[in-house]
Amino acid sequence: MGIADTAESWEVVASRTPFEGAKTAVRSEQVRMPDHAVVRRDYQVHPGSVCVLALDEDGSVLVLRQYRHPVRHKLWELPAGLLDVPGENPLHAAQRELYEEAHVKAEDWRVLADFFASPGGSDEAIRIFLARGLSEAEGERYKVSEEEADMEVARVPLGDLVRGILAGRLGNPGLVTGALALSAALAAPGGVDALRPAQAPWPPRPYES
């Protein structure tokens, strides 16, 4: 059986949304604690995200370098994007992001890892897919804009990414989680073939098949 997170919801005495942006919002709630005290909890309401760890036949990972204004850094990341449409199938979103950001398609898809980005301050849930059997996508490249107009694309050996993470040189949460999860999966019995199928259930973000 092993250990597992469990869904639970404490009583919300009052709730309001003091800020609502284009994609996310801030919710402020009064929550009753186990000692019966009522305390305020403010958090970001987020639609959820997908990331794609695209692994080529040489063992290299497709990564992007992109400016992230809140942290004032250019970060190496996996192709990723928001689940903009309620109930959107995360596999379809991941395939779209891989095409739009790297003009690449993949034949084999698995679920690599699911995690909450910052559960103390956001409800964002992220699913990372492992994509293999890579090839260039057909048609014209997707036209990028804003931060993506300055984006760099590279393929980096998985071992180099793991060493960069452990040395503190790489800090994007999707990349860190994905690279370390893949490294663990490759060393485990059954390897990546033992990973969950691409359409595995995702309770934090239910979706249509």
Side-chain angles (χ1 to χ4, degrees), residues 6-90:
T6 55
E8 186 169 334
S9 183
W10 292 356
E11 180 188 1
V12 176
V13 177
S15 179
R16 65 188 185 94
T17 305
F19 170 80
E20 190 162 355
K23 301 292 185 181
T24 66
V26 173
R27 188 164 294 158
S28 182
E29 296 185 330
Q30 299 290 330
V31 184
R32 194 177 303 281
M33 299 288 112
D35 63 358
H36 305 295
V38 175
V39 300
R40 184 174 122 185
R41 292 290 178 261
D42 303 320
Y43 62 96
Q44 180 192 37
V45 180
H46 195 286
S49 305
V50 291
C51 298
V52 183
L53 195 155
L55 184 69
D56 68 21
E57 59 185 11
D58 296 324
S60 291
V61 177
L62 191 155
V63 291
L64 314 169
R65 188 169 182 247
Q66 188 170 345
Y67 177 66
R68 294 300 185 183
H69 187 70
V71 295
R72 306 307 200 267
H73 271 69
K74 272 193 170 182
L75 301 179
W76 285 103
E77 308 177 348
L78 302 177
L82 299 177
L83 292 169
D84 295 314
V85 181
E88 182 177 18
N89 188 306

Side-chain angles (χ1 to χ4, degrees), residues 86-177:
E88 182 177 18
N89 188 306
L91 174 60
H92 299 165
Q95 291 169 333
R96 180 188 67 237
E97 294 301 330
L98 185 61
Y99 162 73
E100 290 182 356
E101 295 190 343
H103 200 67
V104 167
K105 63 180 181 178
E107 296 298 323
D108 184 81
W109 291 81
R110 309 290 176 104
V111 174
L112 181 57
D114 296 329
F115 70 103
F116 294 106
S118 181
S122 172
D123 69 352
E124 180 182 7
I126 298 178
R127 168 160 281 189
I128 304 178
F129 289 92
L130 172 65
R132 295 181 296 169
L134 308 183
S135 61
E136 186 172 356
E138 294 90 0
E140 296 183 3
R141 286 185 173 272
Y142 182 81
K143 187 176 181 179
V144 297
S145 61
E146 300 175 355
E147 289 93 344
E148 293 180 355
D150 188 46
M151 191 165 59
E152 302 173 46
V153 181
R155 297 197 184 198
V156 180
L158 175 62
D160 288 354
L161 294 177
V162 171
R163 284 186 287 273
I165 291 164
L166 298 180
R169 298 192 302 270
L170 299 170
N172 175 270
L175 178 63
V176 170
T177 303

